[in-house]
Amino acid sequence: MSIDNKFAVKKLQKLDGFYTVFSPLTRMPYVACDEETFDDQIYVFSSEASCKEFVKTLNEQQIPAALLKIPQPQAAGFLTSLYSLDVNMVIFHDDAGDCGLAVDELVKKPDMETIRSAKIPIMNPQLTLTMIYFVQELRRPIKQNMARLHELEEEMVANLVKAHFILGIETVNDEENTDPEKVNLKNIRIPFMKSKDGDIFQPIYSDFSEFRKYAGPKAKSMRMSNLTLKQLPQFLIKDSKGFVVNPAGVNLVLTVDQLKRILKDYA
C-alpha cells in the first residue's frame, strides 16, 4: 500500500459517514468496470454535493442512478458487503481529488474457504456481479447495444449454470430434511409471488443476505434448500411461469422457457 493510499484510507475511515451511488435498476450499489484496469468498482464521496454532481452526470448519460448516504456506523458493513458483489475497487472522491482504494485495503476479506464450504450459499460474488452488469445495461432507457448486451448475458448465464441457489420452503411433516435429493415434495409448501399481470413466479436467492432481505421476519420460520440450476425444474409449482432471482435486489426473471434453453445449451 502506498503512503498516499494509507492517508486516503484513514481519511475515509474517519469520515462521519460518506455518500455513494445507488442503482435503482438493481437496488444495489452502482458498479462500473474500468476500461483500462478492468477493476470492478464503486464510487464513494466525502461530500453530498460531489456525489450529486456525479449522479447528475450518469443520469445525463441515460444511466439511472441516485445518491445514498452511508452513516459511519454502517460504513464497515457496507464496505465488507462489496466482497459479495465481487467488487475489488473503491473510487474515493474528496476535496483532494479521486483515489482508487482496493477493497482489501479498507476492510478484511471474509474467510472464503468457510463460505464455500457452507451448506447454503453465503455469497455468490461472480454471479451477483454479472447479474448487476447485465441488469444495469438491460434496463437503461436507451436503444440497446445488442452485441454488448449479449456479451453481458453470456457471462451471466455461465455463472447461473455454475451457481447454487437458495429456495425458501415451509416444511409440513419433514422439518429436518431439506436435502433436495431426498425431500418429499408432498411435505413442503413453496412460496410464490405474482406479477402485475397476475403471473406466478417463485423467488430464489443467490445468497443468504438476499434471502433474508426478501423473506424478512418469515426467514426465521422457513427452511432453506440448496439447489443447482439443474434441480430447479423439479420444484416448479402448478401454473408457475418460472423463477425470480433476488426479488429484493436485481429482480431477474427466469422463465420456464429460458431455464429450459439454458439447461439445454449450457448445462
Coordinates of all heavy atoms in Angstrom, one line a residue, residues 60-146:
E60 N -27.4 12.1 -17.1 CA -27.3 12.7 -18.4 C -26.9 11.7 -19.5 O -27.2 11.9 -20.7 CB -26.4 13.9 -18.4 CG -26.9 15.1 -17.6 CD -25.9 16.2 -17.4 OE1 -24.7 15.9 -17.7 OE2 -26.3 17.2 -16.9
Q61 N -26.2 10.6 -19.1 CA -25.8 9.6 -20.0 C -26.8 8.5 -20.1 O -26.5 7.4 -20.6 CB -24.4 9.0 -19.5 CG -23.3 10.0 -19.5 CD -22.1 9.4 -18.8 OE1 -21.9 8.2 -18.6 NE2 -21.2 10.3 -18.5
Q62 N -28.0 8.7 -19.5 CA -29.1 7.8 -19.5 C -28.8 6.5 -18.7 O -29.2 5.4 -19.0 CB -29.5 7.3 -20.9 CG -29.9 8.5 -21.8 CD -31.4 8.7 -21.9 OE1 -32.1 7.8 -22.2 NE2 -31.8 9.9 -21.8
I63 N -28.0 6.8 -17.6 CA -27.7 5.7 -16.6 C -28.4 6.1 -15.4 O -28.0 7.0 -14.6 CB -26.2 5.6 -16.4 CG1 -25.5 5.3 -17.7 CG2 -25.9 4.5 -15.3 CD1 -23.9 5.3 -17.5
P64 N -29.6 5.4 -15.1 CA -30.3 5.8 -13.8 C -29.4 5.5 -12.6 O -28.8 4.5 -12.4 CB -31.5 4.8 -13.9 CG -31.7 4.5 -15.3 CD -30.3 4.4 -15.9
A65 N -29.4 6.5 -11.7 CA -28.6 6.5 -10.5 C -29.1 7.4 -9.5 O -29.9 8.4 -9.8 CB -27.1 6.8 -10.8
A66 N -28.8 7.2 -8.2 CA -29.3 8.0 -7.1 C -28.2 8.1 -6.1 O -27.3 7.2 -6.0 CB -30.6 7.5 -6.6
L67 N -28.3 9.1 -5.2 CA -27.4 9.2 -4.1 C -27.9 8.4 -2.9 O -29.1 8.3 -2.6 CB -27.3 10.7 -3.7 CG -26.5 11.2 -2.5 CD1 -25.9 12.5 -2.8 CD2 -27.4 11.2 -1.3
L68 N -26.9 7.8 -2.2 CA -27.2 7.1 -1.0 C -26.2 7.4 0.1 O -25.0 7.3 -0.1 CB -27.2 5.6 -1.3 CG -27.5 4.7 -0.1 CD1 -29.0 4.8 0.4 CD2 -27.2 3.2 -0.4
K69 N -26.7 7.9 1.3 CA -25.8 8.2 2.4 C -25.5 6.9 3.2 O -26.5 6.2 3.6 CB -26.3 9.3 3.2 CG -25.4 9.7 4.3 CD -25.8 10.9 5.1 CE -24.8 11.3 6.2 NZ -25.2 12.5 7.0
I70 N -24.3 6.7 3.5 CA -23.9 5.6 4.4 C -23.4 6.2 5.7 O -22.3 6.7 5.8 CB -22.8 4.7 3.8 CG1 -23.2 4.3 2.4 CG2 -22.5 3.5 4.7 CD1 -24.4 3.3 2.3
P71 N -24.2 6.1 6.8 CA -23.7 6.6 8.1 C -22.5 5.9 8.6 O -22.3 4.7 8.3 CB -24.9 6.4 9.0 CG -26.1 6.1 8.1 CD -25.5 5.5 6.9
Q72 N -21.7 6.5 9.4 CA -20.5 6.0 9.9 C -20.6 4.6 10.6 O -19.8 3.7 10.3 CB -19.8 7.0 10.9 CG -18.3 6.7 11.2 CD -18.1 5.6 12.2 OE1 -19.0 5.4 13.1 NE2 -17.0 4.8 12.1
P73 N -21.7 4.4 11.4 CA -21.8 3.0 12.0 C -22.1 1.9 11.0 O -21.8 0.7 11.3 CB -23.1 3.2 12.9 CG -23.1 4.7 13.2 CD -22.7 5.3 11.9
Q74 N -22.5 2.3 9.8 CA -22.8 1.3 8.8 C -21.7 1.1 7.7 O -21.8 0.3 6.8 CB -24.1 1.6 8.0 CG -25.4 1.6 8.9 CD -26.6 2.1 8.2 OE1 -26.7 2.1 7.0 NE2 -27.6 2.5 9.0
A75 N -20.7 2.0 7.8 CA -19.6 2.0 6.8 C -18.9 0.7 6.7 O -18.7 0.2 5.5 CB -18.7 3.2 7.1
A76 N -18.4 0.1 7.8 CA -17.7 -1.1 7.7 C -18.5 -2.2 7.1 O -18.0 -3.0 6.2 CB -17.1 -1.5 9.1
G77 N -19.8 -2.3 7.5 CA -20.6 -3.4 6.9 C -20.9 -3.2 5.5 O -20.9 -4.1 4.7
F78 N -21.1 -1.9 5.0 CA -21.2 -1.6 3.6 C -20.0 -2.0 2.8 O -20.1 -2.7 1.8 CB -21.5 -0.1 3.4 CG -21.6 0.3 2.0 CD1 -22.7 0.0 1.2 CD2 -20.5 0.9 1.4 CE1 -22.7 0.4 -0.2 CE2 -20.5 1.3 0.1 CZ -21.6 1.0 -0.7
L79 N -18.8 -1.6 3.3 CA -17.6 -1.9 2.5 C -17.3 -3.4 2.5 O -16.9 -4.0 1.5 CB -16.4 -1.2 3.2 CG -16.5 0.3 3.0 CD1 -15.4 1.0 3.9 CD2 -16.3 0.8 1.6
T80 N -17.6 -4.1 3.6 CA -17.4 -5.6 3.6 C -18.4 -6.3 2.7 O -18.0 -7.3 2.0 CB -17.7 -6.1 5.1 OG1 -16.7 -5.5 6.0 CG2 -17.5 -7.6 5.1
S81 N -19.6 -5.7 2.5 CA -20.6 -6.3 1.6 C -20.1 -6.3 0.1 O -20.6 -7.0 -0.7 CB -21.9 -5.6 1.7 OG -21.9 -4.3 1.1
L82 N -19.1 -5.5 -0.2 CA -18.6 -5.4 -1.5 C -18.0 -6.7 -2.0 O -17.9 -7.0 -3.2 CB -17.6 -4.2 -1.7 CG -18.2 -2.8 -1.4 CD1 -17.1 -1.8 -1.6 CD2 -19.3 -2.5 -2.3
Y83 N -17.5 -7.5 -1.0 CA -16.9 -8.8 -1.4 C -18.0 -9.7 -2.0 O -17.7 -10.5 -2.8 CB -16.3 -9.5 -0.1 CG -15.0 -8.9 0.3 CD1 -14.9 -8.1 1.5 CD2 -13.8 -9.1 -0.5 CE1 -13.7 -7.6 1.9 CE2 -12.6 -8.5 -0.1 CZ -12.5 -7.8 1.1 OH -11.3 -7.2 1.5
S84 N -19.2 -9.5 -1.5 CA -20.3 -10.4 -2.0 C -20.7 -10.0 -3.4 O -21.4 -10.7 -4.1 CB -21.5 -10.3 -1.1 OG -22.1 -9.0 -1.1
L85 N -20.3 -8.8 -3.9 CA -20.6 -8.3 -5.2 C -19.4 -8.5 -6.2 O -19.5 -8.2 -7.3 CB -20.9 -6.8 -5.2 CG -21.9 -6.3 -4.2 CD1 -22.2 -4.8 -4.4 CD2 -23.2 -7.1 -4.3
D86 N -18.3 -9.1 -5.6 CA -17.0 -9.2 -6.4 C -16.4 -7.9 -6.8 O -15.7 -7.8 -7.8 CB -17.3 -10.1 -7.6 CG -16.1 -11.0 -7.9 OD1 -15.3 -11.3 -7.0 OD2 -15.9 -11.5 -9.0
V87 N -16.8 -6.8 -6.1 CA -16.2 -5.5 -6.4 C -14.8 -5.5 -5.7 O -14.7 -5.9 -4.5 CB -17.1 -4.4 -5.8 CG1 -16.4 -3.1 -5.8 CG2 -18.4 -4.3 -6.6
N88 N -13.8 -5.0 -6.4 CA -12.5 -5.0 -5.8 C -11.9 -3.6 -5.6 O -10.8 -3.5 -5.0 CB -11.5 -5.8 -6.7 CG -11.3 -5.2 -8.1 OD1 -12.2 -5.0 -8.8 ND2 -10.0 -4.8 -8.4
M89 N -12.6 -2.6 -6.1 CA -12.0 -1.3 -6.0 C -13.1 -0.2 -5.6 O -14.2 -0.3 -6.0 CB -11.4 -0.9 -7.4 CG -10.7 0.5 -7.4 SD -9.2 0.4 -6.4 CE -8.2 -0.8 -7.3
V90 N -12.7 0.7 -4.8 CA -13.5 1.8 -4.4 C -12.8 3.1 -4.9 O -11.7 3.4 -4.5 CB -13.7 1.9 -2.8 CG1 -14.4 3.2 -2.4 CG2 -14.4 0.7 -2.3
I91 N -13.5 3.9 -5.7 CA -13.0 5.2 -6.1 C -13.5 6.2 -5.1 O -14.7 6.5 -5.1 CB -13.5 5.5 -7.6 CG1 -13.1 4.4 -8.5 CG2 -12.9 6.8 -8.0 CD1 -11.7 4.0 -8.6
F92 N -12.6 6.8 -4.4 CA -12.9 7.7 -3.3 C -12.6 9.1 -3.8 O -11.5 9.4 -4.2 CB -12.1 7.4 -2.1 CG -12.2 8.4 -0.9 CD1 -13.4 8.8 -0.5 CD2 -11.1 8.8 -0.3 CE1 -13.6 9.7 0.5 CE2 -11.2 9.7 0.8 CZ -12.4 10.2 1.2
H93 N -13.7 10.0 -3.7 CA -13.5 11.4 -4.1 C -13.7 12.3 -2.9 O -14.7 12.2 -2.2 CB -14.6 11.7 -5.2 CG -14.5 13.1 -5.6 ND1 -13.7 13.5 -6.7 CD2 -15.1 14.3 -5.1 CE1 -13.8 14.8 -6.9 NE2 -14.6 15.3 -5.9
D94 N -12.7 13.1 -2.7 CA -12.8 14.2 -1.7 C -12.3 15.5 -2.2 O -12.0 15.6 -3.5 CB -12.2 13.8 -0.4 CG -10.7 13.7 -0.5 OD1 -10.1 13.8 -1.6 OD2 -10.0 13.4 0.6
D95 N -12.0 16.5 -1.4 CA -11.6 17.7 -1.9 C -10.2 17.7 -2.5 O -9.7 18.6 -3.2 CB -11.6 18.8 -0.8 CG -10.9 18.3 0.5 OD1 -10.2 17.3 0.4 OD2 -11.1 19.0 1.5
A96 N -9.5 16.6 -2.3 CA -8.1 16.4 -2.9 C -8.2 15.7 -4.3 O -7.2 15.7 -5.0 CB -7.2 15.6 -2.0
G97 N -9.3 15.2 -4.7 CA -9.5 14.6 -6.0 C -9.9 13.1 -5.8 O -10.4 12.7 -4.8
D98 N -9.7 12.3 -6.8 CA -10.0 10.9 -6.8 C -8.9 10.0 -6.4 O -7.7 10.3 -6.8 CB -10.5 10.5 -8.2 CG -11.8 11.1 -8.6 OD1 -12.6 11.5 -7.7 OD2 -12.2 11.2 -9.8
C99 N -9.2 8.9 -5.7 CA -8.2 8.0 -5.4 C -8.8 6.6 -5.4 O -9.8 6.4 -4.8 CB -7.7 8.3 -3.9 SG -6.4 7.2 -3.3
G100 N -8.1 5.7 -6.1 CA -8.6 4.3 -6.1 C -8.1 3.5 -5.0 O -6.8 3.4 -4.7
L101 N -9.0 2.9 -4.2 CA -8.6 2.1 -3.0 C -9.1 0.7 -3.2 O -10.3 0.5 -3.4 CB -9.2 2.7 -1.7 CG -8.9 4.2 -1.5 CD1 -9.7 4.7 -0.2 CD2 -7.4 4.4 -1.3
A102 N -8.2 -0.3 -3.0 CA -8.6 -1.7 -3.1 C -9.5 -2.0 -1.9 O -9.2 -1.5 -0.8 CB -7.4 -2.6 -3.1
V103 N -10.5 -2.8 -2.1 CA -11.4 -3.1 -1.0 C -10.7 -3.7 0.2 O -11.0 -3.5 1.3 CB -12.6 -4.0 -1.5 CG1 -13.4 -4.5 -0.4 CG2 -13.4 -3.3 -2.6
D104 N -9.7 -4.6 -0.1 CA -9.0 -5.3 0.9 C -8.0 -4.3 1.7 O -7.4 -4.7 2.7 CB -8.2 -6.5 0.4 CG -7.2 -6.2 -0.6 OD1 -6.9 -5.0 -0.9 OD2 -6.7 -7.2 -1.3
E105 N -7.9 -3.1 1.2 CA -7.2 -2.1 2.0 C -8.1 -1.4 3.0 O -7.6 -0.9 4.0 CB -6.6 -0.9 1.1 CG -5.5 -1.4 0.1 CD -5.1 -0.2 -0.8 OE1 -5.9 0.3 -1.5 OE2 -3.9 0.2 -0.7
L106 N -9.4 -1.5 2.8 CA -10.4 -0.9 3.6 C -11.0 -1.8 4.7 O -11.2 -1.3 5.8 CB -11.5 -0.3 2.7 CG -11.1 0.8 1.8 CD1 -12.2 1.1 0.8 CD2 -10.7 2.1 2.5
V107 N -11.2 -3.0 4.3 CA -11.8 -4.0 5.3 C -11.3 -5.4 5.0 O -10.9 -5.7 3.9 CB -13.4 -4.0 5.1 CG1 -14.0 -2.8 5.8 CG2 -13.8 -4.1 3.7
K108 N -11.3 -6.2 6.0 CA -10.7 -7.5 6.0 C -11.6 -8.4 5.1 O -12.8 -8.4 5.2 CB -10.6 -8.1 7.4 CG -9.9 -9.5 7.4 CD -9.8 -10.0 8.8 CE -9.1 -11.3 8.9 NZ -9.0 -11.8 10.3
K109 N -10.9 -9.2 4.3 CA -11.6 -10.1 3.4 C -12.2 -11.3 4.3 O -11.5 -11.8 5.1 CB -10.7 -10.7 2.3 CG -11.4 -11.5 1.3 CD -10.5 -11.9 0.2 CE -11.2 -12.6 -1.0 NZ -10.3 -12.9 -2.1
P110 N -13.5 -11.7 4.0 CA -14.0 -12.8 4.8 C -13.3 -14.1 4.5 O -12.6 -14.2 3.5 CB -15.5 -12.9 4.3 CG -15.7 -11.6 3.6 CD -14.4 -11.1 3.1
D111 N -13.4 -15.1 5.3 CA -12.8 -16.4 5.1 C -13.6 -17.1 4.0 O -14.6 -17.7 4.2 CB -12.9 -17.3 6.4 CG -12.2 -18.6 6.3 OD1 -11.9 -19.0 5.1 OD2 -12.0 -19.3 7.3
M112 N -13.0 -17.1 2.8 CA -13.7 -17.6 1.6 C -13.9 -19.1 1.6 O -14.8 -19.7 1.1 CB -13.0 -17.2 0.3 CG -13.0 -15.7 0.1 SD -14.6 -14.8 0.2 CE -15.4 -15.5 -1.2
E113 N -12.9 -19.8 2.3 CA -13.0 -21.3 2.4 C -14.2 -21.7 3.2 O -14.9 -22.6 2.9 CB -11.7 -21.9 3.0 CG -10.5 -21.9 2.0 CD -10.8 -22.6 0.7 OE1 -11.4 -23.7 0.8 OE2 -10.5 -22.1 -0.4
T114 N -14.4 -21.0 4.3 CA -15.6 -21.3 5.1 C -16.9 -21.0 4.4 O -17.8 -21.7 4.5 CB -15.5 -20.4 6.4 OG1 -14.3 -20.8 7.2 CG2 -16.7 -20.7 7.3
I115 N -16.9 -19.9 3.6 CA -18.0 -19.5 2.9 C -18.3 -20.6 1.8 O -19.5 -21.0 1.6 CB -17.8 -18.1 2.2 CG1 -17.9 -17.1 3.3 CG2 -18.8 -17.9 1.1 CD1 -17.5 -15.7 2.9
R116 N -17.3 -21.0 1.1 CA -17.5 -22.0 0.0 C -18.0 -23.4 0.6 O -18.7 -24.1 -0.1 CB -16.2 -22.2 -0.8 CG -16.0 -21.1 -1.8 CD -14.8 -21.5 -2.7 NE -13.6 -21.2 -2.1 CZ -12.9 -20.1 -2.3 NH1 -13.4 -19.1 -3.0 NH2 -11.7 -19.9 -1.7
S117 N -17.6 -23.7 1.8 CA -18.0 -25.0 2.3 C -19.3 -24.9 3.1 O -19.8 -26.0 3.6 CB -16.9 -25.5 3.3 OG -16.8 -24.6 4.4
A118 N -20.0 -23.8 3.1 CA -21.2 -23.7 3.8 C -22.3 -24.5 3.2 O -22.3 -24.7 2.0 CB -21.7 -22.2 3.9
K119 N -23.3 -25.0 4.0 CA -24.4 -25.8 3.4 C -25.3 -25.0 2.5 O -26.0 -25.6 1.7 CB -25.2 -26.4 4.6 CG -24.4 -27.4 5.4 CD -25.3 -28.1 6.5 CE -24.5 -29.1 7.3 NZ -25.3 -29.7 8.4
I120 N -25.4 -23.7 2.7 CA -26.2 -22.9 1.8 C -25.3 -21.8 1.3 O -24.3 -21.5 1.9 CB -27.4 -22.3 2.5 CG1 -26.9 -21.4 3.7 CG2 -28.4 -23.3 3.0 CD1 -28.0 -20.4 4.2
P121 N -25.6 -21.2 0.1 CA -24.8 -20.2 -0.4 C -24.8 -18.9 0.5 O -25.8 -18.3 0.7 CB -25.4 -19.8 -1.8 CG -26.3 -21.0 -2.1 CD -26.7 -21.5 -0.8
I122 N -23.6 -18.6 1.1 CA -23.4 -17.4 1.9 C -23.1 -16.2 0.9 O -23.6 -15.1 1.2 CB -22.3 -17.6 2.9 CG1 -22.6 -18.8 3.8 CG2 -22.1 -16.3 3.7 CD1 -23.9 -18.6 4.6
M123 N -22.4 -16.5 -0.1 CA -22.1 -15.5 -1.1 C -22.1 -16.1 -2.5 O -21.8 -17.3 -2.6 CB -20.7 -14.8 -0.9 CG -20.5 -13.9 0.2 SD -18.9 -13.1 0.2 CE -18.9 -12.2 1.8
N124 N -22.4 -15.4 -3.5 CA -22.3 -15.8 -4.9 C -21.7 -14.6 -5.7 O -22.4 -14.1 -6.6 CB -23.7 -16.2 -5.4 CG -23.8 -17.7 -5.7 OD1 -22.9 -18.3 -6.1 ND2 -25.0 -18.2 -5.5
P125 N -20.5 -14.2 -5.3 CA -20.0 -12.9 -5.9 C -19.9 -12.8 -7.4 O -20.3 -11.8 -7.9 CB -18.6 -12.8 -5.2 CG -18.2 -14.1 -4.7 CD -19.5 -14.8 -4.4
Q126 N -19.4 -13.8 -8.1 CA -19.3 -13.7 -9.5 C -20.7 -13.6 -10.2 O -20.9 -12.9 -11.1 CB -18.5 -14.9 -10.1 CG -17.0 -14.8 -9.7 CD -16.2 -15.9 -10.3 OE1 -16.7 -17.1 -10.4 NE2 -15.0 -15.6 -10.7
L127 N -21.6 -14.5 -9.7 CA -23.0 -14.4 -10.2 C -23.6 -13.1 -10.0 O -24.2 -12.4 -10.9 CB -23.8 -15.5 -9.6 CG -25.3 -15.5 -10.0 CD1 -25.5 -15.6 -11.5 CD2 -26.1 -16.5 -9.2
T128 N -23.5 -12.6 -8.7 CA -24.1 -11.3 -8.4 C -23.5 -10.2 -9.3 O -24.3 -9.3 -9.8 CB -23.8 -11.0 -6.9 OG1 -24.3 -12.0 -6.1 CG2 -24.5 -9.6 -6.5
L129 N -22.2 -10.1 -9.5 CA -21.6 -9.1 -10.3 C -22.1 -9.1 -11.7 O -22.4 -8.1 -12.3 CB -20.1 -9.2 -10.2 CG -19.3 -8.2 -11.0 CD1 -19.5 -6.8 -10.4 CD2 -17.8 -8.5 -11.1
T130 N -22.1 -10.3 -12.3 CA -22.6 -10.4 -13.7 C -24.0 -10.1 -13.9 O -24.5 -9.6 -14.9 CB -22.2 -11.8 -14.3 OG1 -22.7 -12.8 -13.5 CG2 -20.7 -12.0 -14.5
M131 N -24.9 -10.4 -12.9 CA -26.3 -10.0 -12.9 C -26.4 -8.5 -12.8 O -27.2 -7.9 -13.5 CB -27.0 -10.7 -11.8 CG -27.3 -12.2 -12.0 SD -28.6 -12.8 -10.8 CE -27.8 -12.6 -9.2
I132 N -25.6 -7.9 -12.0 CA -25.6 -6.4 -11.9 C -25.3 -5.8 -13.2 O -26.0 -4.9 -13.7 CB -24.6 -5.9 -10.8 CG1 -25.2 -6.3 -9.4 CG2 -24.4 -4.4 -10.9 CD1 -24.2 -5.9 -8.2
Y133 N -24.2 -6.2 -13.8 CA -23.8 -5.6 -15.1 C -24.9 -5.8 -16.2 O -25.2 -4.9 -16.9 CB -22.5 -6.2 -15.6 CG -21.3 -5.6 -14.9 CD1 -20.2 -6.4 -14.5 CD2 -21.2 -4.2 -14.7 CE1 -19.1 -5.8 -14.0 CE2 -20.0 -3.7 -14.1 CZ -19.0 -4.5 -13.7 OH -17.9 -3.9 -13.2
F134 N -25.5 -7.0 -16.2 CA -26.5 -7.3 -17.2 C -27.7 -6.4 -17.0 O -28.3 -5.8 -17.9 CB -26.8 -8.8 -17.2 CG -28.0 -9.1 -18.1 CD1 -27.8 -9.1 -19.5 CD2 -29.2 -9.5 -17.6 CE1 -28.8 -9.4 -20.4 CE2 -30.2 -9.9 -18.5 CZ -30.1 -9.8 -19.8
V135 N -28.2 -6.4 -15.8 CA -29.4 -5.7 -15.5 C -29.3 -4.2 -15.6 O -30.1 -3.5 -16.1 CB -29.9 -6.0 -14.1 CG1 -31.1 -5.1 -13.6 CG2 -30.4 -7.5 -14.0
Q136 N -28.1 -3.6 -15.2 CA -27.8 -2.2 -15.4 C -27.9 -1.8 -16.8 O -28.4 -0.7 -17.2 CB -26.4 -1.9 -14.8 CG -26.4 -1.7 -13.3 CD -25.0 -1.3 -12.8 OE1 -24.8 -1.1 -11.6 NE2 -24.0 -1.3 -13.7
E137 N -27.4 -2.7 -17.7 CA -27.5 -2.3 -19.1 C -28.8 -2.6 -19.7 O -29.4 -1.8 -20.5 CB -26.4 -3.1 -19.9 CG -26.2 -2.8 -21.3 CD -25.8 -1.4 -21.6 OE1 -25.1 -0.8 -20.7 OE2 -26.1 -0.8 -22.6
L138 N -29.4 -3.8 -19.4 CA -30.7 -4.2 -19.9 C -31.8 -3.1 -19.7 O -32.6 -2.9 -20.6 CB -31.1 -5.5 -19.3 CG -32.5 -6.0 -19.7 CD1 -32.6 -6.4 -21.2 CD2 -32.9 -7.2 -18.9
R139 N -31.8 -2.5 -18.5 CA -32.9 -1.7 -18.1 C -32.7 -0.2 -18.3 O -33.5 0.7 -17.9 CB -33.3 -1.9 -16.6 CG -33.8 -3.4 -16.4 CD -34.0 -3.7 -15.0 NE -34.4 -5.1 -14.8 CZ -34.4 -5.8 -13.7 NH1 -34.0 -5.2 -12.5 NH2 -34.8 -7.1 -13.6
R140 N -31.6 0.1 -18.9 CA -31.3 1.5 -19.3 C -32.4 2.0 -20.3 O -32.7 1.3 -21.2 CB -29.9 1.7 -19.8 CG -28.8 1.6 -18.8 CD -27.5 1.8 -19.5 NE -27.3 3.2 -20.1 CZ -26.3 3.5 -20.9 NH1 -25.4 2.6 -21.2 NH2 -26.2 4.7 -21.3
P141 N -32.8 3.3 -20.2 CA -33.9 3.8 -21.1 C -33.3 4.3 -22.4 O -33.4 5.4 -22.8 CB -34.5 4.9 -20.3 CG -33.4 5.4 -19.4 CD -32.5 4.2 -19.1
I142 N -32.6 3.4 -23.1 CA -31.9 3.7 -24.4 C -32.1 2.6 -25.3 O -32.5 1.5 -25.0 CB -30.4 4.0 -24.2 CG1 -29.7 2.7 -23.7 CG2 -30.2 5.2 -23.3 CD1 -28.2 2.8 -23.7
K143 N -31.8 2.8 -26.6 CA -31.8 1.7 -27.6 C -30.5 0.9 -27.3 O -29.4 1.4 -27.2 CB -31.7 2.3 -29.0 CG -31.7 1.2 -30.1 CD -31.7 1.8 -31.5 CE -31.8 0.7 -32.5 NZ -31.7 1.3 -33.9
Q144 N -30.7 -0.4 -27.0 CA -29.7 -1.2 -26.6 C -28.6 -1.5 -27.6 O -28.9 -1.7 -28.8 CB -30.3 -2.6 -26.0 CG -31.3 -2.4 -24.9 CD -30.7 -1.8 -23.7 OE1 -29.5 -1.8 -23.4 NE2 -31.6 -1.1 -22.9
N145 N -27.4 -1.6 -27.2 CA -26.3 -2.2 -28.0 C -26.4 -3.7 -27.8 O -26.0 -4.3 -26.8 CB -24.9 -1.7 -27.5 CG -23.8 -2.2 -28.2 OD1 -23.8 -3.3 -28.8 ND2 -22.7 -1.5 -28.3
M146 N -27.0 -4.3 -28.8 CA -27.4 -5.8 -28.6 C -26.1 -6.7 -28.5 O -26.2 -7.7 -27.8 CB -28.3 -6.2 -29.8 CG -29.6 -5.5 -29.8 SD -30.5 -5.5 -28.2 CE -30.8 -7.2 -28.0

